[in-house]
Amino acid sequence: MHYTLHQLQVFLKVSQTESITKAAEELHLTQPAVSIQLKNFQDQFEIPLTEVVGRKLYVTDFGKEIAIAAERIVDQVNAINYKTMAFNGQLTGRLKISVVSTGKYVMPYFLGNFIRKNPGVELKLDVTNKAMVLNSLDENEIDFALVSILPEALQVEKVELMENKLLLVAGRDFEFSGQVVDKHIFEKITLIYREVGSGTRLTMERYLRSNNIPVTKKLELTSNEAVKQAVIAGLGCSIMPLIGIKNELKNGDLKIIAVEGLPIVTNWNLIFLKNKKFSPVAESFLEYIRLEKNRIIEENFDWI
């Protein structure tokens, strides 16, 4: 057998995602490149590693065993690289962070300089909804989480980063009268919600409930980007974080409807489990955030 480290890495990612498309995205490769490497790797085994059933890719039992071995090999290679860089005085290791979906507009700015200054750090950044983020934190699978609503069921410590403002937003053709409208507007519009488990949805529902606002027509979509596009297309309005719609407001695709009681203001918090034992990388990043957060906010978020 003459398989390469690259083939092991590709097959491992395919086995983890069960998708050539997703594997290609995470590896920053084209789909044909992943397919070729997967085929070249498969050709070295008489037993199938994967199978396609109903247009969905599955990893066979044999493939799962090979994936376990591949993960060990890849981890050992990474360990060798880390040790080499550490011997040369570089900070090395993995930094694992999970952020709620809107946090993708925030977290990269707090990571950029740290990653550039420490090339030996491997970043694993997962973007998902609030429920999945907190599950990863609870299972101790990550070092840090970025959330706008603090969990009640977990004992965590936090570093406050910046404000998170949510406003009622409509498409360019939506018409309303007056500078500030009253809360009865929610009875007349189609309100677009995020999915259950989303922090934005929870914040929006708390606002509606605390103000006794009935909603007669609503839609539910499963990502912040989907909600944004639906509002732009005129399917309805939504309460959205300002951080994620800067460009759309600037070019006029979206506009803010000033409503009594809005904006809703929460805080972006970098949280971690209480008594968490940090790796040198995680400890260094936490210190970096505490020292540099004000500068980062001033340089990148002065418009909020």
Side-chain angles (χ1 to χ4, degrees):
M1 291 188 177
H2 301 285
Y3 45 78
T4 65
L5 176 62
H6 183 54
Q7 288 172 351
L8 287 173
Q9 292 169 326
V10 168
F11 174 67
L12 178 59
K13 187 59 66 176
V14 169
S15 70
Q16 291 170 339
T17 61
E18 293 192 329
S19 166
I20 289 175
T21 300
K22 291 180 181 178
E25 290 174 355
E26 294 190 19
L27 291 168
H28 305 292
L29 298 171
T30 64
Q31 292 183 40
V34 170
S35 297
I36 290 170
Q37 292 299 323
L38 182 62
K39 181 181 183 302
N40 290 341
F41 189 59
Q42 172 65 79
D43 287 345
Q44 299 180 69
F45 300 92
E46 295 181 0
I47 305 172
L49 299 170
T50 62
E51 59 182 351
V52 177
V53 179
R55 299 181 66 183
K56 178 171 173 54
L57 184 144
Y58 295 90
V59 181
T60 65
D61 289 342
F62 177 68
K64 291 176 182 177
E65 293 293 326
I66 298 300
I68 291 171
E71 185 171 20
R72 290 174 182 157
I73 294 169
V74 171
D75 285 344
Q76 287 300 312
V77 170
N78 288 335
I80 291 171
N81 293 334
Y82 293 153
K83 289 179 186 297
T84 302
M85 287 183 282
F87 191 79
N88 289 325
Q90 296 185 40
L91 184 66
T92 64
R94 287 184 178 179
L95 179 63
K96 295 171 286 185
I97 302 176
S98 187
V99 307
V100 295
S101 57
T102 311
K104 67 186 177 186
Y105 301 109
V106 177
M107 200 68 230
Y109 293 96
F110 290 89
L111 285 163
N113 282 339
F114 180 80
I115 296 299
R116 282 191 292 272
K117 291 178 180 178
N118 298 285
V121 172
E122 179 186 346
L123 173 64
K124 181 180 179 182
L125 181 63
D126 182 37
V127 180
T128 183
N129 67 27
K130 175 176 173 281
M132 296 298 292
V133 168
L134 295 183
N135 182 67
S136 295
L137 189 67
D138 189 29
E139 295 293 326
N140 201 29
E141 297 172 347
I142 56 176
D143 300 309
F144 303 101
L146 181 70
V147 297
S148 59
I149 301 175
L150 294 174
E152 298 177 356
L154 294 177
Q155 289 190 320
V156 299
E157 296 187 41
K158 66 174 182 176
V159 178
E160 284 191 8
L161 298 184
M162 54 186 282
E163 285 187 342
N164 180 38
K165 296 180 180 178
L166 295 92
L167 306 102
L168 183 63
V169 179
R172 66 167 71 237
D173 295 327
F174 185 86
E175 295 183 1
F176 62 97
S177 58
Q179 295 295 314
V180 178
V181 300
D182 64 35
K183 298 168 186 174
H184 293 294
I185 190 173
F186 289 99
E187 300 174 25
K188 305 172 185 176
I189 62 174
T190 298
L191 192 60
I192 303 176
Y193 286 66
R194 284 284 307 279
E195 78 282 7
V196 174
S198 159
T200 298
R201 176 174 179 141
L202 180 59
T203 300
M204 184 167 74
E205 289 179 330
R206 284 177 177 173
Y207 166 78
L208 296 172
R209 193 163 51 244
S210 65
N211 287 278
N212 297 314
I213 298 172
V215 176
T216 56
K217 295 185 289 183
K218 65 180 182 180
L219 298 175
E220 180 178 306
L221 299 175
T222 57
S223 74
N224 195 65
E225 192 62 32
V227 171
K228 185 195 300 184
Q229 294 304 320
V231 175
I232 291 173
L235 294 180
C237 305
S238 188
I239 295 177
M240 302 187 68
L242 179 61
I243 189 71
I245 56 175
K246 176 184 178 182
N247 291 335
E248 290 75 15
L249 290 172
K250 187 176 181 180
N251 63 29
D253 286 337
L254 294 176
K255 58 188 176 185
I256 294 170
I257 304 175
V259 181
E260 293 176 288
L262 293 179
I264 305 167
V265 180
T266 60
N267 278 297
W268 287 112
N269 296 284
L270 189 71
I271 63 173
F272 50 93
L273 291 176
K274 198 170 184 177
N275 301 318
K276 168 77 174 175
K277 293 182 179 180
F278 287 124
S279 67
V281 169
E283 190 169 357
S284 180
F285 178 68
L286 184 59
E287 182 66 16
Y288 168 81
I289 288 297
R290 285 172 169 156
L291 290 173
E292 298 291 331
K293 68 171 187 175
N294 290 336
R295 177 189 61 78
I296 294 168
I297 292 168
E298 288 174 7
E299 290 181 358
N300 299 284
F301 302 104
D302 60 345
W303 55 276
I304 293 180

